Amino acid sequence: MRTEIASLGEFGLIDHLTEGLTLTNSSSQYGVGDDAAVLSYKADKQILVTTDLLMEGVHFDLTYFPLKHLGYKAAIVNFSDIYAMNGTPRQITVSLALSKRFSVEDMETFYAGIRLACEEYHVDIVGGDTTSSLTGFAISITCIGEADKESLVYRNGARNTDLICVSGDLGAAYMGLQLLEREKSVMKGANDIQPDFTGKEYLLERQLKPEARKDIIEELASAGIKPTAMIDVSDGLSSELMHLCKQSQTGCRVYEEHIPIDFQTAVMAEEFNMNLTTCAMNGGEDYELLFTVPIADHEKVSEMKSIRIIGHITKPELGCALVTRDGQEFELKAQGWNPLSEKDEK
Ligand SMILES: [Mg+2]
């Protein structure tokens, strides 16, 4: 079934998509339905705001990215930025630009993904906008969150000798993307062949259904650890390390042998004939947390199961480098995914 969006109109579509939404956070005073949402935060809280814009053809490809997953991911990437401040996401607004290609049912599916992410992370949808687009699909999500002033963690707090830690594993989302891109080119003109992703499920999950590390923030709090600096890994470990060190005015050493990589990522890198460490350092979209702690917290972080200590902070004059297994040092380069600079080079 296909219902044209024009049959509902802009306001009708918003009403339809936001039907039955309930507010679960006490700070969400009034959500969708008036000129603005009303939020009410306790006076001792700091308010966090982050926003993200995703463009079809630049940030996602709908030939292999299911709309429900896209909705889920679009919300998750914003939650991740709030957690990276050691905060808690509470509300989002969702703005969409749609071309005629999309039906009401498509938007129901997309919104189901956003709703699911919001349910799982206890975040309220409090507003947004929809408009038409001449070309593709654009998604802008703004997330509002909170933190106590004393628990906020910035990128600029890392100090010489601090330990550098990362959650989960790296490079899998990037390998998932490579896999989907490969299948897309193989599938062209052969619609009846189903690709076989057996044994590669984790890579697809990391690309198509990432999670934000709420659990790590909670674990750190219960272990009594407050990171000195933190950032989420969206553009690749290399690039995030450089942001963190630049803002903290430090250098760093990270050790190739300590970078956490899943088995499936390693198998896939070999299949693609790619350098595994490069994939893990520069892949991006991992949405893991990269943070630093004082050396005194060594024992506490070592006990945390999904945390790896990958290196340490140095004085700024030492620069940022990766130490390979054979002891060589390579200066870190931010090969973070940046379509604008890519275009300039061509
Ligand atoms: Mg971030």
Side-chain angles (χ1 to χ4, degrees), residues 90-106:
R90 296 292 189 198
Q91 291 89 19
I92 56 167
T93 62
V94 181
S95 297
L96 308 172
L98 307 163
S99 68
K100 285 206 180 75
R101 210 170 90 229
F102 298 96
S103 65
V104 170
E105 288 76 18
D106 290 334

Side-chain angles (χ1 to χ4, degrees), residues 77-328:
V77 301
N78 280 277
F79 302 165
S80 179
D81 278 322
I82 300 285
Y83 292 123
M85 300 297 292
N86 206 25
T88 307
R90 296 292 189 198
Q91 291 89 19
I92 56 167
T93 62
V94 181
S95 297
L96 308 172
L98 307 163
S99 68
K100 285 206 180 75
R101 210 170 90 229
F102 298 96
S103 65
V104 170
E105 288 76 18
D106 290 334
M107 284 307 106
E108 282 171 359
T109 308
F110 175 77
Y111 234 80
I114 294 188
R115 282 184 180 226
L116 180 62
C118 287
E119 270 167 41
E120 288 186 1
Y121 289 81
H122 305 292
V123 173
D124 297 325
I125 301 171
V126 295
D129 194 16
T130 66
T131 186
S132 52
S133 152
L134 295 179
T135 50
F137 186 23
I139 308 155
S140 170
I141 295 186
T142 296
C143 184
I144 298 130
E146 67 176 82
D148 294 326
K149 195 170 186 177
E150 59 275 15
S151 51
L152 270 177
V153 177
Y154 295 87
R155 294 176 179 181
N156 62 12
R159 296 293 171 258
N160 188 23
T161 77
D162 279 359
L163 301 172
I164 303 172
C165 307
V166 73
S167 63
D169 59 77
L170 303 171
Y174 177 73
M175 291 318 300
L177 180 65
Q178 298 309 306
L179 182 61
L180 288 163
E181 287 283 348
R182 181 181 72 180
E183 294 310 318
K184 181 189 165 186
S185 53
V186 170
M187 290 305 158
K188 266 182 191 151
N191 291 333
D192 50 342
I193 304 169
Q194 280 301 306
D196 184 12
F197 292 130
T198 311
K200 302 180 173 85
E201 295 87 352
Y202 180 65
L203 306 177
L204 294 182
E205 190 189 310
R206 293 285 283 175
Q207 173 58 226
L208 298 175
K209 195 175 180 286
E211 299 292 347
R213 298 312 301 259
K214 177 182 201 273
D215 57 331
I216 298 293
I217 293 304
E218 290 166 353
E219 265 185 68
L220 286 168
S222 60
I225 301 168
K226 187 197 170 191
T228 48
M230 187 153 58
I231 187 168
D232 66 326
V233 184
S234 49
D235 294 334
L237 179 65
S238 225
S239 153
E240 315 304 357
L241 276 167
M242 291 179 70
H243 284 307
L244 204 142
C245 288
K246 189 181 175 195
Q247 302 235 2
S248 299
Q249 295 176 288
T250 66
C252 72
R253 288 295 174 276
V254 290
Y255 296 85
E256 184 182 23
E257 62 187 317
H258 296 312
I259 294 168
I261 296 171
D262 185 80
F263 176 71
Q264 289 188 17
T265 311
V267 170
M268 206 62 219
E270 179 144 355
E271 208 177 307
F272 278 119
N273 214 356
M274 286 171 138
N275 181 289
L276 181 57
T277 304
T278 307
C279 294
M281 292 295 293
N282 300 307
E285 293 196 284
D286 300 298
Y287 301 105
E288 295 296 343
L289 292 170
L290 172 71
F291 58 92
T292 54
V293 296
I295 204 158
D297 284 336
H298 183 269
E299 208 178 315
K300 285 191 207 165
V301 282
S302 307
E303 281 165 10
M304 291 178 66
K305 242 188 97 197
S306 39
I307 299 296
R308 273 281 197 64
I309 301 170
I310 59 168
H312 59 268
I313 296 292
T314 66
K315 290 181 178 157
E317 50 271 29
L318 292 177
C320 296
L322 172 75
V323 184
T324 57
R325 284 191 174 78
D326 54 7
Q328 289 192 72

